[in-house]
Amino acid sequence: MDVSDDGLRLSLNWLDGSILAIYFVVVVGIAVAARRSVRTSLDFFLSGRSLPAWVTGLAFVSANLGAIEILGMAANGAQYGAYTVHWYLIGAIPAMVFLGLVMMPFYYNSKVRSVPEFLLRRFGPSSHLLSALLFSIASILIAGVNLFALAIVLRALIGWPLPLSIVLAGAFVLVYIVIGGLTSAIYNEVLQFFVIIAALVPLTVLGLVRVGGIDGLTARVTETLGPDFLTAWNGTGIGSENPLGANWLTIVLGLGFAVSFGYWTTNFAEVQRSLSAKNLSAAKRTPLIAAFPKMVIPAIVVLPGIIAVVIEPGMGGEGAAYTYNDAIPLLMRDLLPNGVLGLAVTGLMASFMAGMAANVSSFNTVFTNDVWQAYLKPNMPDAHYLRTGRVVTVVGVVAGMGTAFIAAGFSNIMNYLQTLFSFFNVPLFAVFILALFWKRMTAPAGFWGLLAGTVAPVLFYLSYRAGWIDPGSDQGTNMIAAIIAFVVGTGVAAPVSLATRPKTDAELDGLVYTRAAVADRGEVAAGDDAWYRRPALLGWSAIVLAVVCYLPFTV
């Protein structure tokens, strides 16, 4: 393994290249096989609603385990330490359980193909079109982050220039989504999940060996960064200082509620995986199954980031040779021999494609169904929308290539990603949750609440970037922005609802929360009644386990 003079760059040998080539062949093979099942637009966008819960569950967590997650959360680990576990525990598990137990019956039984389509039925065209356009913009921006994340790896490790890396990576994802649609994306995400785990486990183990195990890591972090760097809650009292720049209130309300619920319950890149399940029971279990591996991921993503900042002190600082985004590539350069290096590069490629495919497949679904079919070309044959979906996929990937250069301006791409979530996901969740639980909410309230909830965090963030306010850190700013988005969204929607005319109970049937709707089990398949498949048991077990996972980080 020869490291060149270009810092992180190293050369891959024939064994590394062979592992990467085999993986590409398998991915394309899955796409070709999946094409046989794509006969209608429903097959292309939602896999014909035919997939088992274990497949959709692994795809659910894999769609979130993209290159952004790996490079970004490792960067968070290097910059903020163990405070990063909040994104996996309070920032994920409660919302995933809420999605499975409460919201999925409404999504699945209404037979919607997207989150904006649900708003169309609940409110009408104005909120529907606004949410569809906002979601499409967000999907393209996030896809660009995925492309940039992979470009970091390819440029650093292989020496490819940034533009070439972005174009080639985007082109490959384009091939397997256009060929096989969502079915191809989901089955590849299952494969990618195991490839990613196989790549990150040896990196973590070798990293721990380098720093002297857990005890050695603890001693070196405590000496150089302070003991709070390995805790989740120490130093989070109101008025206290910590690397995250947030207190317990902004963590709980900003991350644990606004950002988390906004992302996991309304982000169609995730919800789409549940909607592709074969029945309601499988759809409800999809995010609940995903919650269990989600809690383990910090051990192979956040921990390497902490190891990297110990190996390379000063990372991310003023004038430093490496940014926080370089944490994973740095460990790959220093720790992995050939063969294992090829597996690691393959794992990062897999993580990139999982995240990119999730955003592009959700973008083509929303744009085709909620913009093209609803407003531009209604009442066309199904084959027309299938062709349109494939064309829109091409447009989405090309647009993502352009937005990748926006992400290049951030030293920690997770800071940028969380900013996007506060802009787009949180306002949608604010409107959605009111619409779900408050029958009095009206169509004008949905539109103005969504619009105001989007504009408010954007203005707050621009004020931060201009230096007019200083919440303490990028992530602290994002958490406050998320709270503002939720408060403004609901604060505008509530009075507008009271001043305008609501729909009748008959018009709202199946679109608002009722005990009967939640109790509706839909079509029951053989084995769904098994005790270990009960959604409530899975959900509450995940909550309890998440609390237990906090214990190592509370002292």
Side-chain angles (χ1 to χ4, degrees):
M1 183 177 67
D2 299 323
V3 181
S4 77
D5 294 332
D6 296 331
L8 287 177
R9 184 179 170 187
L10 50 82
S11 59
L12 305 178
N13 67 10
W14 66 269
L15 180 58
D16 302 313
S18 299
I19 294 172
L20 198 56
I22 291 171
Y23 171 74
F24 284 155
V25 170
V26 172
V27 167
V28 174
I30 291 175
V32 172
R35 183 180 178 88
R36 300 173 184 173
S37 65
V38 179
R39 299 182 179 88
T40 68
S41 60
L42 182 65
D43 293 333
F44 186 77
F45 295 125
L46 290 179
S47 299
R49 294 195 167 193
S50 61
L51 302 179
W54 74 269
V55 171
T56 54
L58 289 180
F60 189 99
V61 72
S62 182
N64 183 249
L65 192 59
I68 298 174
E69 175 85 0
I70 293 176
L71 295 186
M73 283 303 180
N76 263 8
Q79 184 173 3
Y80 305 119
Y83 292 101
T84 308
V85 301
H86 289 306
W87 272 268
Y88 292 89
L89 301 178
I90 196 173
I93 305 305
M96 294 169 74
V97 172
F98 184 80
L99 172 63
L101 298 183
V102 177
M103 297 187 71
M104 193 47 61
F106 296 93
Y107 280 137
Y108 199 87
N109 287 337
S110 61
K111 301 298 182 184
V112 297
R113 292 163 295 181
S114 68
V115 175
E117 186 177 343
F118 187 90
L119 295 184
L120 173 64
R121 299 187 184 188
R122 178 62 176 86
F123 294 129
S126 58
S127 299
H128 171 243
L129 181 58
L130 177 61
S131 64
L133 292 176
L134 289 175
F135 181 86
S136 298
I137 294 170
S139 295
I140 294 301
L141 290 171
I142 295 172
V145 185
N146 267 294
L147 277 170
F148 173 67
L150 181 70
I152 292 173
V153 177
L154 296 180
R155 181 176 60 180
L157 302 182
I158 305 176
W160 292 354
L162 183 66
L164 178 63
S165 299
I166 290 173
V167 170
L168 291 181
F172 187 77
V173 173
L174 180 64
V175 168
Y176 84 74
I177 297 179
V178 169
I179 291 176
L182 183 63
T183 300
S184 168
I186 284 181
Y187 276 108
N188 269 309
E189 283 164 1
V190 174
L191 168 66
Q192 288 155 1
F193 175 79
F194 292 106
V195 172
I196 292 165
I197 298 301
L200 292 179
V201 167
L203 188 68
T204 305
V205 171
L206 291 174
L208 284 173
V209 171
R210 168 68 70 88
V211 297
I214 294 293
D215 291 340
L217 177 65
T218 302
R220 294 176 67 175
V221 168
T222 301
E223 179 183 351
T224 58
L225 299 167
D228 287 349
F229 202 76
L230 293 177
T231 67
W233 294 106
N234 285 5
T236 59
I238 295 176
S240 301
E241 293 185 0
N242 60 69
L244 191 57
N247 57 56
W248 67 267
L249 188 61
T250 54
I251 292 172
V252 172
L253 295 183
L255 175 61
F257 177 68
V259 174
S260 173
F261 279 71
Y263 175 78
W264 291 103
T265 65
T266 65
N267 182 12
F268 194 60
E270 303 296 336
V271 174
Q272 188 184 34
R273 272 68 193 153
S274 295
L275 292 180
S276 64
K278 63 182 180 181
N279 62 10
L280 177 57
S281 175
K284 292 170 70 174
R285 281 183 278 126
T286 294
L288 305 178
I289 291 172
F292 292 94
K294 181 70 176 177
M295 286 181 267
V296 180
I297 289 172
I300 56 173
V301 175
V302 179
L303 184 56
I306 298 174
I307 293 171
V309 80
V310 169
I311 292 177
E312 186 65 37
M315 172 185 290
E318 190 73 28
Y322 304 107
T323 68
Y324 296 116
N325 291 329
D326 294 324
I328 292 292
L330 178 70
L331 294 185
M332 291 170 62
R333 181 201 69 180
D334 289 349
L335 303 177
L336 298 184
N338 288 113
V340 180
L341 177 62
L343 182 62
V345 173
T346 302
L348 286 178
M349 290 290 288
S351 70
F352 151 73
M353 289 187 290
M356 181 72 177
N359 283 286
V360 172
S361 61
S362 58
F363 167 74
N364 66 29
T365 300
V366 169
F367 188 86
T368 302
N369 294 325
D370 296 297
V371 178
W372 188 264
Q373 181 178 359
Y375 300 102
L376 299 178
K377 288 287 185 177
N379 304 316
M380 297 293 288
D382 186 75
H384 170 81
Y385 299 119
L386 179 59
R387 289 194 301 272
T388 300
R390 290 190 165 121
V391 172
V392 170
T393 300
V394 177
V395 173
V397 171
V398 173
M401 293 176 185
T403 62
F405 293 94
I406 299 176
F410 290 79
S411 64
N412 183 339
I413 55 176
M414 191 53 65
N415 290 340
Y416 173 51
L417 189 65
Q418 294 295 317
T419 300
L420 296 181
F421 291 160
S422 68
F423 290 174
F424 297 105
N425 292 92
V426 177
L428 182 58
F429 171 68
V431 170
F432 196 102
I433 203 70
L434 272 184
L436 189 63
F437 289 99
W438 191 31
K439 293 194 297 183
R440 185 67 179 77
M441 189 173 181
T442 63
F447 176 83
W448 291 110
L450 181 59
L451 183 60
T454 302
V455 171
V458 172
L459 294 177
F460 178 79
Y461 182 77
L462 291 177
S463 298
Y464 166 67
R465 297 292 290 186
W468 298 341
I469 57 175
D470 183 17
S473 71
D474 288 344
Q475 289 293 8
T477 302
N478 292 334
M479 292 179 193
I480 297 174
I483 295 173
I484 291 173
F486 185 84
V487 171
V488 171
T490 54
V492 169
V496 172
S497 291
L498 296 175
T500 51
R501 184 178 179 180
K503 289 185 175 182
T504 65
D505 289 348
E507 292 175 303
L508 295 176
D509 184 41
L511 298 175
V512 293
Y513 179 89
T514 62
R515 291 183 180 275
V518 174
D520 183 8
R521 301 178 62 194
E523 179 184 346
V524 179
D528 282 350
D529 289 327
W531 66 269
Y532 56 86
R533 291 184 176 178
R534 293 175 184 172
L537 176 63
L538 290 171
W540 286 108
S541 296
I543 293 290
V544 171
L545 188 56
V547 173
V548 172
C549 286
Y550 261 124
L551 296 180
F553 306 103
T554 55
V555 292

